[in-house]
Amino acid sequence: MSATTDQTGGERDSADLAQFGYQQELKRGLGTFSSFAVAFSYISPSTGIFTLFALGLVTIGGAFIWTWPVVALGQFIIAMNFAEVSSHYPIAGSVFQWTKYLSSRTYAWFSGWIYLFAGVLTVTAVVATIPLALIPALNGLGWHSLNPASLHANLAVALVVLVVITVLNIYGVRLVALINNTGVIFEILGMVVFALIMMAFHNHQGFHVVTNSFGLKINGSSFLIAMFMSLFVIYGFDTASTLAEETRDPRRAAPKAVLFSIIGAFIIGGIFLLGTLMAIPNGPAAIKNGFGPAQIIEANFSHPFATIYLLVVSAAIFVCCLSIMAATIRLCFGMSRDNQLPFSKVLSKVSPSLHTPIWSCVVIAVLSAIPFIQFSGAGTIAIAATAMIYFSYFLGNLAIARARLRGWPKAASPFSLGRWGLVVNILGLLYGGAMLVNFAWPRAQSNPTPNQSVVGGVQLLNFHIGFLNKIPILWTVFVVLVLIGGIYYLAVGKSKEFAPIRTPEADDAPLVA
């Protein structure tokens, strides 16, 4: 009976997809929990906390934990908006697909282009994060040939991880989901259990650490800088929508997964942040030395326990890498299927046996490796990746708001904001716009110039072009991507045949001409 029900549901989902003009080529094997797990893994509190915890700590001390609820609330507002749209358009590609149906062709292409490379940079940032936990863990196991402070060692580990996650993604979403589901359970249990142990047995600061800046000045500017760790953690919730074509009953499952992934990440990440801050042995010393979670854990636990925990975190970051690459591959596939990227015919081809777009997997991996030509550390890449993601979200929200003002949606959907839709949309735009200004603001901590990216007297990033080394990195990344994309679109993309834009009869007609 269960198998028959699943088959009937799969046929219904495939028929629904066919009304959008697409065949069911990807394997529809994700349930509600797997959809949630993929989105939660993309967010992965442990990953972002390990990457930029030190930035928050050295900026305003323990008080930086208050950036966590502020960002979580702002992102939840955006997620509510996205959840409704994903209930109407359960198609691979998220922001690109939504803007395709609700805006103009050029706007949709530009939104997809920016989001594609934001995803690529995020893959790079997260594979560059895993050495921060894995190398200390390997040292704890007795393998001391890798130096945690060495950029070359970090680069080598990151490249190996990139190859492994590419191979796993090629072998299909079911394998990724199996690893993902297991990893999420371990991440949740590991973060909560170790956080509670730190609170109970390694509490050096007390609960008042959340108001203790350890002598650092707190004002509006410093709070905005300290937000970057939280900003880097809480995004990617739309992954549940991006994998909609591989999800059973996506019109209902995807919106739930989008929202619950943020709620889960907020609770789990908040507990871990509090436990880690309380376990700091010496606040001023931790700030002086730029302590991250790895150093705090090693300072409190014996080598065996610290090693076990770092291995758990490494596994969580690895699963995060898998999810981010899976989402970026689906965006690449979705745009290529609509003939919107160079070599679209090849990139949109799905393996009949593996049910995965193999060449999209390979191309995303190669693009993600390009920033490693001159490796500048996980932090710099993470800030650039996060800014581009937020810009993509802003573009998506802007298109949705414009559609709402034109009367969308008229048709009902399993998840609906009703009359509150426009209000939520506007709040999301205000929050997203403010964060974009925060990202773009030129400052050494969050948007440095290459000349300011100096650690231990070594300039990590050097474009070898005088004036470029004086321009904030984010500005350069944005301008280069826009120029390359603009040239391609005007020269080739604009004249390419665009896939027909269709919706099921019960849904609103596309707003795009």
Side-chain angles (χ1 to χ4, degrees), residues 30-41 177-178 180-186 188 247-248 253 256-257:
L30 300 179
T32 302
F33 178 77
S34 294
S35 182
F36 157 79
V38 170
F40 182 89
S41 297
L178 176 63
N180 225 30
N181 293 352
T182 307
V184 164
I185 293 171
F186 274 102
I188 292 173
T247 304
R248 294 186 292 271
K256 291 178 185 176

Side-chain angles (χ1 to χ4, degrees), residues 306-384:
T307 300
I308 290 171
Y309 186 72
L310 290 172
L311 287 172
V312 170
V313 171
S314 299
I317 300 174
F318 179 81
V319 169
C320 177
C321 296
L322 271 179
S323 298
I324 294 169
M325 177 169 267
T328 308
I329 288 167
R330 270 59 185 180
L331 175 58
C332 180
F333 166 76
M335 292 187 71
S336 300
R337 185 174 56 181
D338 282 356
N339 196 31
Q340 293 303 291
L341 293 177
F343 311 107
S344 287
K345 187 174 182 180
V346 175
L347 294 174
S348 62
K349 189 174 182 179
V350 176
S351 166
S353 58
L354 298 173
H355 298 283
T356 53
I358 293 177
W359 284 109
S360 283
C361 297
V362 173
V363 167
I364 293 302
V366 171
L367 291 174
S368 300
I370 290 176
F372 288 134
I373 293 174
Q374 190 172 170
F375 184 44
S376 56
T380 302
I381 304 171
I383 290 171

